[in-house]
Amino acid sequence: MENPVSIPVEVSHLFKTLDEKLIALLESLSDQDWTKQTVAIKWKVKDVASHLLDGNLRTLSMQRDGYFGEKPVGVHDYQELVNWLNRLNSDWVKATHRISPSVLIELHKATGPDVSAYYATLDPWERAVFAVDWVGDHTSYNWMHLAREYSEKWHHQQQIREATGKPGIMTREFFYPAIATFMLALPHTFRLVEADLGTNIQVVVTGEVGGSWFLLRNDSQWQLTTEPIENPDSKVEIPPEISWKLFSKSLRAAEVMPNIRISGNQALGLQVLEMVSVMA
């Protein structure tokens, strides 16, 4: 099959700069900042920084070097995979409690550039090492894998920035690719929702940093597009500062409903708010 010309979510050029921003952020933190609570209930700032380091090390070891030191055993479905990953994440964060912030920064400096360099070598239209499970894929192209990795790096860095009051990546340049990646999970979120042919839903992340996405019911499935569709059956408007936390499962719909506007079909709009665009 011939590949499309354009990459739906292009992020390969952003990794290096995003990583440099992370290093500058971590170097700016006070001793008190490292212990502040993030929106990730179980993790303080230092825990999130440790998790980001784990991501670098896993990428270099498993994806670049092809070394899988620990493989999932007895994992037969999506929830079991999530449970296994959560255990790996928890084990790592707990082990790195003994590592100082200065050492964490040094390790980020040592691994971040290598990760960005590795990502730059990937053909966006080749098969990825890992599928993006939360979009319902059994296999994925590299472009989608990179978009997923970017959204991980973006939202965890934003967790640190929000917890410590440090602005910097809630901008069109850095936020839009992350939220556009999260939206890739919309068709999978609606896979069990029956609707008439032509039913369409508009999801709006408000403000200059956001955008609009449309979900259209065709003959056999839901299709995601950014092409405008007039008179949507349901329209959901979400502030950007709420959207990334909602779709990364740091907040749930019941907590943010006063900040969200749903016009038209309420059931369809509420289903949008159930979307989870991370392995959680």
mmCIF file of all heavy atoms in Angstrom, residues 19-57:
data_model
loop_
_atom_site.group_PDB
_atom_site.id
_atom_site.type_symbol
_atom_site.label_atom_id
_atom_site.label_comp_id
_atom_site.label_asym_id
_atom_site.label_seq_id
_atom_site.Cartn_x
_atom_site.Cartn_y
_atom_site.Cartn_z
ATOM 1 N N ASP A 19 13.295 18.418 25.024
ATOM 2 C CA ASP A 19 14.228 17.857 25.997
ATOM 3 C C ASP A 19 15.101 18.953 26.612
ATOM 4 O O ASP A 19 15.372 18.941 27.819
ATOM 5 C CB ASP A 19 15.100 16.801 25.332
ATOM 6 C CG ASP A 19 15.904 16.003 26.337
ATOM 7 O OD1 ASP A 19 15.293 15.333 27.182
ATOM 8 O OD2 ASP A 19 17.147 16.065 26.284
ATOM 9 N N GLU A 20 15.549 19.894 25.802
ATOM 10 C CA GLU A 20 16.343 21.011 26.326
ATOM 11 C C GLU A 20 15.533 21.827 27.319
ATOM 12 O O GLU A 20 16.069 22.296 28.335
ATOM 13 C CB GLU A 20 16.825 21.883 25.164
ATOM 14 C CG GLU A 20 17.878 21.204 24.291
ATOM 15 C CD GLU A 20 18.173 21.961 23.018
ATOM 16 O OE1 GLU A 20 17.402 22.896 22.688
ATOM 17 O OE2 GLU A 20 19.160 21.622 22.335
ATOM 18 N N LYS A 21 14.253 22.000 27.039
ATOM 19 C CA LYS A 21 13.386 22.718 27.967
ATOM 20 C C LYS A 21 13.235 21.958 29.281
ATOM 21 O O LYS A 21 13.154 22.558 30.357
ATOM 22 C CB LYS A 21 12.016 22.974 27.330
ATOM 23 C CG LYS A 21 12.022 24.090 26.287
ATOM 24 C CD LYS A 21 10.626 24.346 25.760
ATOM 25 C CE LYS A 21 10.593 25.608 24.897
ATOM 26 N NZ LYS A 21 10.815 26.829 25.702
ATOM 27 N N LEU A 22 13.197 20.626 29.192
ATOM 28 C CA LEU A 22 13.106 19.823 30.402
ATOM 29 C C LEU A 22 14.352 20.003 31.263
ATOM 30 O O LEU A 22 14.250 20.186 32.485
ATOM 31 C CB LEU A 22 12.929 18.347 30.050
ATOM 32 C CG LEU A 22 12.954 17.386 31.242
ATOM 33 C CD1 LEU A 22 11.774 17.632 32.168
ATOM 34 C CD2 LEU A 22 12.982 15.936 30.769
ATOM 35 N N ILE A 23 15.519 19.952 30.654
ATOM 36 C CA ILE A 23 16.768 20.117 31.409
ATOM 37 C C ILE A 23 16.793 21.485 32.093
ATOM 38 O O ILE A 23 17.114 21.594 33.285
ATOM 39 C CB ILE A 23 17.992 19.965 30.498
ATOM 40 C CG1 ILE A 23 18.050 18.550 29.915
ATOM 41 C CG2 ILE A 23 19.273 20.279 31.260
ATOM 42 C CD1 ILE A 23 18.175 17.454 30.926
ATOM 43 N N ALA A 24 16.449 22.532 31.351
ATOM 44 C CA ALA A 24 16.432 23.874 31.938
ATOM 45 C C ALA A 24 15.422 23.951 33.080
ATOM 46 O O ALA A 24 15.674 24.593 34.112
ATOM 47 C CB ALA A 24 16.097 24.907 30.861
ATOM 48 N N LEU A 25 14.280 23.283 32.904
ATOM 49 C CA LEU A 25 13.264 23.257 33.958
ATOM 50 C C LEU A 25 13.801 22.581 35.207
ATOM 51 O O LEU A 25 13.702 23.133 36.315
ATOM 52 C CB LEU A 25 12.023 22.520 33.455
ATOM 53 C CG LEU A 25 10.964 22.148 34.495
ATOM 54 C CD1 LEU A 25 10.343 23.400 35.101
ATOM 55 C CD2 LEU A 25 9.895 21.251 33.867
ATOM 56 N N LEU A 26 14.367 21.404 35.065
ATOM 57 C CA LEU A 26 14.856 20.654 36.219
ATOM 58 C C LEU A 26 15.972 21.409 36.937
ATOM 59 O O LEU A 26 16.055 21.406 38.173
ATOM 60 C CB LEU A 26 15.342 19.273 35.784
ATOM 61 C CG LEU A 26 14.278 18.335 35.191
ATOM 62 C CD1 LEU A 26 14.898 16.993 34.827
ATOM 63 C CD2 LEU A 26 13.099 18.155 36.135
ATOM 64 N N GLU A 27 16.822 22.067 36.168
ATOM 65 C CA GLU A 27 17.925 22.826 36.775
ATOM 66 C C GLU A 27 17.428 24.051 37.519
ATOM 67 O O GLU A 27 18.147 24.575 38.390
ATOM 68 C CB GLU A 27 18.936 23.222 35.710
ATOM 69 C CG GLU A 27 19.736 22.049 35.162
ATOM 70 C CD GLU A 27 20.783 22.463 34.153
ATOM 71 O OE1 GLU A 27 20.552 23.451 33.422
ATOM 72 O OE2 GLU A 27 21.841 21.799 34.083
ATOM 73 N N SER A 28 16.206 24.498 37.215
ATOM 74 C CA SER A 28 15.661 25.705 37.869
ATOM 75 C C SER A 28 14.927 25.387 39.171
ATOM 76 O O SER A 28 14.564 26.304 39.903
ATOM 77 C CB SER A 28 14.698 26.418 36.913
ATOM 78 O OG SER A 28 13.459 25.723 36.817
ATOM 79 N N LEU A 29 14.714 24.109 39.463
ATOM 80 C CA LEU A 29 13.887 23.742 40.606
ATOM 81 C C LEU A 29 14.632 23.902 41.929
ATOM 82 O O LEU A 29 15.812 23.571 42.032
ATOM 83 C CB LEU A 29 13.414 22.297 40.473
ATOM 84 C CG LEU A 29 12.554 21.959 39.246
ATOM 85 C CD1 LEU A 29 12.136 20.496 39.280
ATOM 86 C CD2 LEU A 29 11.331 22.865 39.160
ATOM 87 N N SER A 30 13.916 24.391 42.926
ATOM 88 C CA SER A 30 14.456 24.472 44.280
ATOM 89 C C SER A 30 14.326 23.115 44.968
ATOM 90 O O SER A 30 13.638 22.209 44.475
ATOM 91 C CB SER A 30 13.696 25.525 45.087
ATOM 92 O OG SER A 30 12.353 25.104 45.309
ATOM 93 N N ASP A 31 14.936 22.978 46.125
ATOM 94 C CA ASP A 31 14.809 21.735 46.885
ATOM 95 C C ASP A 31 13.341 21.447 47.206
ATOM 96 O O ASP A 31 12.894 20.295 47.170
ATOM 97 C CB ASP A 31 15.612 21.826 48.187
ATOM 98 C CG ASP A 31 17.121 21.828 47.949
ATOM 99 O OD1 ASP A 31 17.536 21.449 46.831
ATOM 100 O OD2 ASP A 31 17.862 22.205 48.874
ATOM 101 N N GLN A 32 12.594 22.508 47.508
ATOM 102 C CA GLN A 32 11.180 22.341 47.842
ATOM 103 C C GLN A 32 10.365 21.930 46.615
ATOM 104 O O GLN A 32 9.407 21.155 46.725
ATOM 105 C CB GLN A 32 10.611 23.636 48.428
ATOM 106 C CG GLN A 32 11.151 24.014 49.805
ATOM 107 C CD GLN A 32 12.592 24.531 49.756
ATOM 108 O OE1 GLN A 32 13.020 25.108 48.733
ATOM 109 N NE2 GLN A 32 13.332 24.338 50.845
ATOM 110 N N ASP A 33 10.745 22.444 45.439
ATOM 111 C CA ASP A 33 10.014 22.110 44.210
ATOM 112 C C ASP A 33 10.014 20.613 43.935
ATOM 113 O O ASP A 33 9.020 20.049 43.477
ATOM 114 C CB ASP A 33 10.623 22.839 43.007
ATOM 115 C CG ASP A 33 10.273 24.319 42.963
ATOM 116 O OD1 ASP A 33 9.232 24.697 43.541
ATOM 117 O OD2 ASP A 33 11.035 25.089 42.353
ATOM 118 N N TRP A 34 11.118 19.955 44.194
ATOM 119 C CA TRP A 34 11.244 18.527 43.874
ATOM 120 C C TRP A 34 10.260 17.670 44.673
ATOM 121 O O TRP A 34 9.939 16.551 44.262
ATOM 122 C CB TRP A 34 12.671 18.052 44.142
ATOM 123 C CG TRP A 34 13.652 18.521 43.114
ATOM 124 C CD1 TRP A 34 14.431 19.633 43.170
ATOM 125 C CD2 TRP A 34 13.963 17.883 41.864
ATOM 126 N NE1 TRP A 34 15.213 19.753 42.048
ATOM 127 C CE2 TRP A 34 14.944 18.683 41.229
ATOM 128 C CE3 TRP A 34 13.526 16.726 41.232
ATOM 129 C CZ2 TRP A 34 15.484 18.354 39.981
ATOM 130 C CZ3 TRP A 34 14.052 16.398 39.994
ATOM 131 C CH2 TRP A 34 15.016 17.203 39.379
ATOM 132 N N THR A 35 9.778 18.187 45.782
ATOM 133 C CA THR A 35 8.866 17.401 46.635
ATOM 134 C C THR A 35 7.403 17.810 46.465
ATOM 135 O O THR A 35 6.538 17.275 47.159
ATOM 136 C CB THR A 35 9.251 17.553 48.116
ATOM 137 O OG1 THR A 35 9.101 18.929 48.507
ATOM 138 C CG2 THR A 35 10.696 17.122 48.355
ATOM 139 N N LYS A 36 7.104 18.719 45.544
ATOM 140 C CA LYS A 36 5.723 19.174 45.371
ATOM 141 C C LYS A 36 4.876 18.115 44.669
ATOM 142 O O LYS A 36 5.360 17.358 43.832
ATOM 143 C CB LYS A 36 5.701 20.487 44.580
ATOM 144 C CG LYS A 36 6.216 21.670 45.391
ATOM 145 C CD LYS A 36 6.193 22.963 44.608
ATOM 146 C CE LYS A 36 6.654 24.129 45.472
ATOM 147 N NZ LYS A 36 6.726 25.399 44.725
ATOM 148 N N GLN A 37 3.600 18.093 45.035
ATOM 149 C CA GLN A 37 2.657 17.137 44.464
ATOM 150 C C GLN A 37 2.285 17.546 43.042
ATOM 151 O O GLN A 37 2.047 18.720 42.766
ATOM 152 C CB GLN A 37 1.394 17.073 45.318
ATOM 153 C CG GLN A 37 0.334 16.114 44.818
ATOM 154 C CD GLN A 37 0.813 14.683 44.822
ATOM 155 O OE1 GLN A 37 1.338 14.198 45.813
ATOM 156 N NE2 GLN A 37 0.638 13.991 43.701
ATOM 157 N N THR A 38 2.223 16.572 42.135
ATOM 158 C CA THR A 38 1.754 16.832 40.780
ATOM 159 C C THR A 38 0.306 16.378 40.645
ATOM 160 O O THR A 38 -0.266 15.769 41.547
ATOM 161 C CB THR A 38 2.609 16.092 39.736
ATOM 162 O OG1 THR A 38 2.343 14.681 39.836
ATOM 163 C CG2 THR A 38 4.091 16.368 39.948
ATOM 164 N N VAL A 39 -0.284 16.625 39.493
ATOM 165 C CA VAL A 39 -1.654 16.191 39.236
ATOM 166 C C VAL A 39 -1.733 14.673 39.146
ATOM 167 O O VAL A 39 -2.818 14.097 39.296
ATOM 168 C CB VAL A 39 -2.188 16.865 37.952
ATOM 169 C CG1 VAL A 39 -1.511 16.295 36.704
ATOM 170 C CG2 VAL A 39 -3.702 16.751 37.865
ATOM 171 N N ALA A 40 -0.596 14.014 38.923
ATOM 172 C CA ALA A 40 -0.540 12.551 39.006
ATOM 173 C C ALA A 40 -0.526 12.179 40.491
ATOM 174 O O ALA A 40 0.474 12.390 41.184
ATOM 175 C CB ALA A 40 0.706 12.021 38.310
ATOM 176 N N ILE A 41 -1.628 11.663 40.985
ATOM 177 C CA ILE A 41 -1.871 11.558 42.426
ATOM 178 C C ILE A 41 -0.747 10.855 43.180
ATOM 179 O O ILE A 41 -0.381 11.245 44.294
ATOM 180 C CB ILE A 41 -3.213 10.843 42.678
ATOM 181 C CG1 ILE A 41 -4.369 11.676 42.108
ATOM 182 C CG2 ILE A 41 -3.421 10.606 44.172
ATOM 183 C CD1 ILE A 41 -5.714 10.979 42.173
ATOM 184 N N LYS A 42 -0.171 9.831 42.603
ATOM 185 C CA LYS A 42 0.824 9.033 43.316
ATOM 186 C C LYS A 42 2.244 9.584 43.202
ATOM 187 O O LYS A 42 3.155 9.056 43.832
ATOM 188 C CB LYS A 42 0.804 7.586 42.800
ATOM 189 C CG LYS A 42 -0.503 6.853 43.092
ATOM 190 C CD LYS A 42 -0.434 5.411 42.615
ATOM 191 C CE LYS A 42 -1.730 4.672 42.932
ATOM 192 N NZ LYS A 42 -1.686 3.263 42.479
ATOM 193 N N TRP A 43 2.439 10.634 42.401
ATOM 194 C CA TRP A 43 3.792 11.081 42.099
ATOM 195 C C TRP A 43 4.043 12.547 42.459
ATOM 196 O O TRP A 43 3.248 13.423 42.123
ATOM 197 C CB TRP A 43 4.104 10.890 40.619
ATOM 198 C CG TRP A 43 4.345 9.456 40.240
ATOM 199 C CD1 TRP A 43 4.491 8.393 41.076
ATOM 200 C CD2 TRP A 43 4.469 8.954 38.908
ATOM 201 N NE1 TRP A 43 4.702 7.251 40.345
ATOM 202 C CE2 TRP A 43 4.693 7.555 39.022
ATOM 203 C CE3 TRP A 43 4.417 9.536 37.644
ATOM 204 C CZ2 TRP A 43 4.873 6.738 37.901
ATOM 205 C CZ3 TRP A 43 4.591 8.725 36.532
ATOM 206 C CH2 TRP A 43 4.810 7.341 36.667
ATOM 207 N N LYS A 44 5.164 12.759 43.129
ATOM 208 C CA LYS A 44 5.695 14.095 43.339
ATOM 209 C C LYS A 44 6.525 14.486 42.095
ATOM 210 O O LYS A 44 6.709 13.690 41.170
ATOM 211 C CB LYS A 44 6.593 14.121 44.582
ATOM 212 C CG LYS A 44 5.913 13.662 45.864
ATOM 213 C CD LYS A 44 4.870 14.653 46.324
ATOM 214 C CE LYS A 44 4.456 14.435 47.783
ATOM 215 N NZ LYS A 44 3.829 13.135 48.015
ATOM 216 N N VAL A 45 7.042 15.718 42.096
ATOM 217 C CA VAL A 45 7.823 16.210 40.966
ATOM 218 C C VAL A 45 9.018 15.305 40.672
ATOM 219 O O VAL A 45 9.282 14.947 39.518
ATOM 220 C CB VAL A 45 8.288 17.656 41.238
ATOM 221 C CG1 VAL A 45 9.407 18.072 40.276
ATOM 222 C CG2 VAL A 45 7.103 18.618 41.125
ATOM 223 N N LYS A 46 9.733 14.908 41.700
ATOM 224 C CA LYS A 46 10.909 14.065 41.490
ATOM 225 C C LYS A 46 10.529 12.716 40.879
ATOM 226 O O LYS A 46 11.260 12.158 40.055
ATOM 227 C CB LYS A 46 11.677 13.859 42.788
ATOM 228 C CG LYS A 46 12.972 13.064 42.640
ATOM 229 C CD LYS A 46 13.770 13.104 43.935
ATOM 230 C CE LYS A 46 15.008 12.228 43.832
ATOM 231 N NZ LYS A 46 14.656 10.790 43.891
ATOM 232 N N ASP A 47 9.373 12.184 41.283
ATOM 233 C CA ASP A 47 8.909 10.919 40.725
ATOM 234 C C ASP A 47 8.646 11.036 39.226
ATOM 235 O O ASP A 47 8.980 10.133 38.450
ATOM 236 C CB ASP A 47 7.634 10.471 41.427
ATOM 237 C CG ASP A 47 7.826 10.244 42.918
ATOM 238 O OD1 ASP A 47 8.927 9.820 43.322
ATOM 239 O OD2 ASP A 47 6.872 10.504 43.682
ATOM 240 N N VAL A 48 8.038 12.142 38.815
ATOM 241 C CA VAL A 48 7.760 12.344 37.393
ATOM 242 C C VAL A 48 9.061 12.479 36.610
ATOM 243 O O VAL A 48 9.209 11.920 35.511
ATOM 244 C CB VAL A 48 6.861 13.578 37.178
ATOM 245 C CG1 VAL A 48 6.648 13.836 35.691
ATOM 246 C CG2 VAL A 48 5.517 13.393 37.877
ATOM 247 N N ALA A 49 10.029 13.209 37.170
ATOM 248 C CA ALA A 49 11.330 13.332 36.509
ATOM 249 C C ALA A 49 12.001 11.970 36.384
ATOM 250 O O ALA A 49 12.639 11.664 35.360
ATOM 251 C CB ALA A 49 12.224 14.298 37.281
ATOM 252 N N SER A 50 11.860 11.124 37.394
ATOM 253 C CA SER A 50 12.410 9.773 37.340
ATOM 254 C C SER A 50 11.722 8.942 36.262
ATOM 255 O O SER A 50 12.371 8.180 35.537
ATOM 256 C CB SER A 50 12.256 9.087 38.697
ATOM 257 O OG SER A 50 13.025 9.720 39.693
ATOM 258 N N HIS A 51 10.406 9.091 36.168
ATOM 259 C CA HIS A 51 9.650 8.352 35.153
ATOM 260 C C HIS A 51 10.089 8.767 33.748
ATOM 261 O O HIS A 51 10.218 7.912 32.844
ATOM 262 C CB HIS A 51 8.160 8.599 35.350
ATOM 263 C CG HIS A 51 7.307 7.955 34.311
ATOM 264 N ND1 HIS A 51 7.217 6.593 34.159
ATOM 265 C CD2 HIS A 51 6.498 8.498 33.354
ATOM 266 C CE1 HIS A 51 6.392 6.309 33.155
ATOM 267 N NE2 HIS A 51 5.945 7.452 32.659
ATOM 268 N N LEU A 52 10.311 10.041 33.548
ATOM 269 C CA LEU A 52 10.791 10.508 32.243
ATOM 270 C C LEU A 52 12.169 9.927 31.916
ATOM 271 O O LEU A 52 12.451 9.574 30.765
ATOM 272 C CB LEU A 52 10.843 12.038 32.220
ATOM 273 C CG LEU A 52 9.489 12.736 32.028
ATOM 274 C CD1 LEU A 52 9.618 14.228 32.331
ATOM 275 C CD2 LEU A 52 8.967 12.524 30.611
ATOM 276 N N LEU A 53 13.025 9.819 32.912
ATOM 277 C CA LEU A 53 14.332 9.189 32.702
ATOM 278 C C LEU A 53 14.152 7.719 32.320
ATOM 279 O O LEU A 53 14.836 7.216 31.418
ATOM 280 C CB LEU A 53 15.187 9.309 33.957
ATOM 281 C CG LEU A 53 16.534 8.581 33.912
ATOM 282 C CD1 LEU A 53 17.419 9.142 32.809
ATOM 283 C CD2 LEU A 53 17.231 8.660 35.268
ATOM 284 N N ASP A 54 13.257 7.028 32.989
ATOM 285 C CA ASP A 54 12.969 5.636 32.656
ATOM 286 C C ASP A 54 12.547 5.511 31.198
ATOM 287 O O ASP A 54 12.944 4.563 30.490
ATOM 288 C CB ASP A 54 11.876 5.110 33.582
ATOM 289 C CG ASP A 54 11.621 3.617 33.420
ATOM 290 O OD1 ASP A 54 12.547 2.894 32.994
ATOM 291 O OD2 ASP A 54 10.515 3.176 33.751
ATOM 292 N N GLY A 55 11.756 6.454 30.732
ATOM 293 C CA GLY A 55 11.349 6.444 29.326
ATOM 294 C C GLY A 55 12.541 6.522 28.392
ATOM 295 O O GLY A 55 12.604 5.817 27.375
ATOM 296 N N ASN A 56 13.497 7.382 28.724
ATOM 297 C CA ASN A 56 14.715 7.481 27.909
ATOM 298 C C ASN A 56 15.474 6.160 27.889
ATOM 299 O O ASN A 56 15.905 5.678 26.834
ATOM 300 C CB ASN A 56 15.631 8.575 28.458
ATOM 301 C CG ASN A 56 15.143 9.973 28.149
ATOM 302 O OD1 ASN A 56 14.176 10.153 27.406
ATOM 303 N ND2 ASN A 56 15.811 10.965 28.706
ATOM 304 N N LEU A 57 15.660 5.578 29.062
ATOM 305 C CA LEU A 57 16.443 4.356 29.167
ATOM 306 C C LEU A 57 15.750 3.190 28.457
ATOM 307 O O LEU A 57 16.406 2.371 27.797
ATOM 308 C CB LEU A 57 16.682 4.020 30.637
ATOM 309 C CG LEU A 57 17.551 5.034 31.402
ATOM 310 C CD1 LEU A 57 17.547 4.712 32.894
ATOM 311 C CD2 LEU A 57 18.968 5.050 30.864
#
